[in-house]
Amino acid sequence: MASPSAPFDDDDNNGSGRLLARESAGDNAPALSISEISALLKRTVEDRFGFVRVRGELSGVKRAASGHLYASLKDENARLDGVMWRGNVQRLNFRPEDGVEVIATGKLTTYPGRSNYQIVIDRMEIAGEGALLALLAKLKARLEGEGLFDPARKQTLPFLPRVIGVVTSPTGAVIRDILHRLSDRFPTRVVVWPVLVQGQGAGAQIANAVRGFSDLPEGGPIPRPDLVIVARGGGSIEDLWCFNEEEVVRAVADCTIPIISAVGHETDTTLCDFAADLRAPTPTAAAELAVPVQAELAALVADLNARQRRALARQLAQAKERLEARSQRLPQPQTLLQGQAQRVDDLAERLRRALLHRTEIAGSLLARHAGALRPALLTTRLEREAERLAARRLRPEVLLQRIDHARGKVEALDRLRRSLDPKAPLQRGYVLVTAPDGHVVRTREDAALRPVLSLEFADGKLDVSTGAVPPPARPAPKPRTAATPGNQQELF
């Protein structure tokens, strides 16, 4: 039986019944902290799996605000979390999406905060051409759903652009083929925006070039193109992948300048071709579609000029024939003037006879009145008119008499005015009683109905209150309605 002073001494060799953990000397299994065991696991995993390549399908892809990429790689039976830091994300040649099968290269590590392991991805590639085509089909369907490939968005290409902008590599054979074909067909000014057409960062450069051409102002130091060509030679789907990037497709679709996509050979197709206003099978074909043939235009202009001359000559000949045919049906000028000439002769004869008759009448009138124009008669008439004028001459006594008569009339009117002045009696002590509205109060009955009266004396007015209650206002009579014409309904 154990003593009370050491109740647990019998359990030293049995750890399952121990209440307090004890460490004895020589113990080779000391207790580790959580951080220590996590660090040991992290070191072991990173040393053992410092470089691995993992193939799997992306799931739960998320781009953090810091630029880091978080995703999971999975297959039929397992799942592995992964993280890709911002610097490596910026070097990706494609946009990671859920469902894309990739091969990730990196190292395995642990994350003590969640007690799990994950892969830190340094490089990520699409696992095979099939996965790349699946990613391409998925991106195409999404962009097509947004309407970026809608034919209604397409712009009409200019017939003869003055300036053509080309987005391509400045050292490849593509730019030489385009310049050579333009020189053969119609020499035009070309502005080249040099970009990478393959590899890391090519998509961003192509998108910036397209947006740069679109943002050029009119009349600036760099001429704004009337047409833009995005061109590259042939290659594999991986080589042409930068023209499938979403950034490039959106830049091409939003370009305000008509744009031709000439990427790859005739059998190569990229999403840039669907977003462009026109797809050319090759860069050389793009140059042929951009400008017409100068010689053909000159021949066409010459042919149109010749046709115009022939048409004018034919119209002139037809007009001449019609003029000659109509002139033959016109009467001779002498025939048209014969009747008018005869009429002029007739009127001239009538005028001569009328003048002679008028002269004869005037002579007879002059002879009849000539006897009354004797000097004695004229002198007698002149003296009589002079006497009449002297009789009508104004005399001062007549004017003074009329003035005295008018003065008497004015004075009589003034006396009448003073006698009729209603305020004249005020000077003799009378009072003029009026209502506030200016109405003259003439009777006691009328004054009793006025609460206020105005008394006007010779030296001013005085308002007095009578204490009378004003009569209620009479209601306004209702307007009579016009009698409506009687009809059959008024009988009921």
Side-chain angles (χ1 to χ4, degrees):
M1 187 175 212
S3 61
S5 61
F8 302 107
D9 291 343
D10 295 339
D11 296 333
D12 288 344
N13 297 324
N14 186 6
S16 60
R18 188 178 300 168
L19 181 60
L20 297 176
R22 296 179 181 179
E23 293 184 4
S24 59
D27 191 354
N28 61 353
L32 301 175
S33 65
I34 301 301
S35 298
E36 290 174 343
I37 192 66
S38 298
L40 289 173
L41 287 172
K42 181 179 179 68
R43 189 180 306 113
T44 301
V45 171
E46 290 181 354
D47 291 344
R48 176 65 180 84
F49 301 99
F51 179 81
V52 294
R53 297 188 70 203
V54 182
R55 180 169 183 157
E57 180 181 327
L58 289 175
S59 175
V61 178
K62 182 177 66 174
R63 185 79 175 265
S66 59
H68 307 321
L69 180 69
Y70 298 91
S72 297
L73 296 171
K74 66 178 183 177
D75 57 12
E76 295 83 358
N77 302 315
R79 171 181 170 180
L80 174 63
D81 291 337
V83 60
M84 193 172 191
W85 307 127
R86 180 177 59 184
N88 295 326
V89 173
Q90 294 175 349
R91 290 194 292 270
L92 286 176
N93 292 326
F94 69 100
R95 179 178 178 179
E97 295 182 357
D98 291 351
V100 180
E101 189 176 5
V102 298
I103 295 178
T105 303
K107 64 179 180 180
L108 292 183
T109 184
T110 62
Y111 183 59
R114 289 199 296 266
S115 297
N116 62 355
Y117 66 94
Q118 63 184 8
I119 180 173
V120 179
I121 304 172
D122 297 329
R123 186 172 69 255
M124 186 186 297
E125 302 166 331
I126 297 178
E129 187 172 342
L132 192 62
L133 292 176
L135 177 62
L136 179 61
K138 186 175 181 181
L139 179 59
K140 179 184 176 182
R142 180 163 60 84
L143 296 179
E144 188 173 10
E146 295 181 15
L148 266 66
F149 306 151
D150 189 359
R153 295 170 56 98
K154 309 296 183 183
Q155 304 180 70
T156 304
L157 302 184
F159 175 72
L160 189 60
R162 296 172 299 174
V163 180
I164 298 178
V166 180
V167 179
T168 189
S169 172
T171 59
V174 171
I175 186 61
R176 292 195 296 272
D177 292 343
I178 292 176
L179 294 176
H180 178 70
R181 182 60 64 181
L182 291 176
S183 177
D184 289 344
R185 291 175 65 85
F186 202 104
T188 308
R189 185 173 183 179
V190 177
V191 179
V192 180
W193 196 303
V195 295
L196 293 175
V197 292
Q198 181 179 344
Q200 182 68 32
Q205 291 189 16
I206 295 171
N208 291 333
V210 173
R211 285 192 292 264
F213 274 137
S214 181
D215 294 338
L216 285 177
E218 293 285 353
I222 300 177
R224 190 173 192 269
D226 301 317
L227 179 67
V228 174
I229 299 176
V230 179
R232 188 203 186 279
S236 64
I237 185 173
E238 184 179 0
D239 296 336
L240 303 179
W241 185 254
C242 60
F243 294 93
N244 292 319
E245 294 185 14
E246 183 176 353
E247 183 181 12
V248 175
V249 177
R250 291 188 181 278
V252 171
D254 296 337
C255 184
T256 58
I257 303 174
I259 190 167
I260 298 177
S261 175
V263 179
H265 295 305
E266 188 168 357
T267 57
D268 297 325
T269 303
T270 63
L271 297 184
C272 182
D273 297 335
F274 295 100
D277 299 308
L278 183 65
R279 175 187 178 270
T282 61
T284 304
E288 294 176 354
L289 295 172
V291 295
V293 180
Q294 186 177 17
E296 293 179 358
L297 284 180
L300 177 61
V301 171
D303 180 62
L304 292 176
N305 189 18
R307 291 174 59 185
Q308 183 183 26
R309 289 197 300 269
R310 289 195 298 271
L312 291 175
R314 183 167 57 254
Q315 290 182 359
L316 290 175
Q318 293 176 355
K320 183 178 180 180
E321 292 176 359
R322 289 194 296 268
L323 179 61
E324 291 177 353
R326 292 175 180 176
S327 63
Q328 293 176 359
R329 291 194 293 268
L330 290 176
Q332 296 295 327
Q334 296 80 2
T335 305
L336 296 175
L337 295 177
Q338 286 176 356
Q340 301 300 328
Q342 185 176 359
R343 180 176 175 81
V344 169
D345 294 340
D346 183 39
L347 292 176
E349 180 63 24
R350 291 175 59 187
L351 177 61
R352 186 183 65 80
R353 291 197 300 269
L355 289 176
L356 291 175
H357 180 66
R358 184 71 175 172
T359 303
E360 292 176 357
I361 293 175
S364 61
L365 289 175
L366 179 60
R368 185 169 64 251
H369 294 290
L373 297 177
R374 294 192 299 274
L377 294 176
L378 292 177
T379 302
T380 303
R381 188 172 181 179
L382 180 60
E383 292 175 353
R384 187 169 59 251
E385 293 299 330
E387 292 176 358
R388 292 178 59 189
L389 178 60
R392 294 183 179 181
R393 187 171 300 168
L394 295 178
R395 296 189 299 274
E397 55 274 12
V398 176
L399 292 178
L400 293 175
Q401 183 180 2
R402 295 188 65 179
I403 290 173
D404 292 340
H405 180 69
R407 182 182 296 111
K409 292 177 65 177
V410 170
E411 290 175 353
L413 291 175
D414 183 60
R415 287 192 300 271
L416 180 61
R417 178 189 64 80
R418 288 196 300 270
S419 63
L420 297 178
D421 185 6
K423 295 184 180 181
L426 299 181
Q427 302 295 333
R428 298 194 300 271
Y430 292 94
V431 177
L432 179 63
V433 182
T434 59
D437 56 358
H439 178 72
V440 178
V441 180
R442 293 182 174 85
T443 64
R444 179 182 178 282
E445 182 182 359
D446 191 7
L449 298 176
R450 307 283 182 174
V452 178
L453 295 176
S454 179
L455 305 180
E456 183 176 357
F457 297 90
D459 57 349
K461 290 184 179 182
L462 177 64
D463 294 334
V464 297
S465 176
T466 63
V469 178
R474 295 182 181 178
K478 295 182 180 180
R480 294 185 178 179
T481 56
T484 57
N487 51 29
Q488 186 177 1
Q489 295 180 356
E490 292 179 356
L491 300 177
F492 303 96

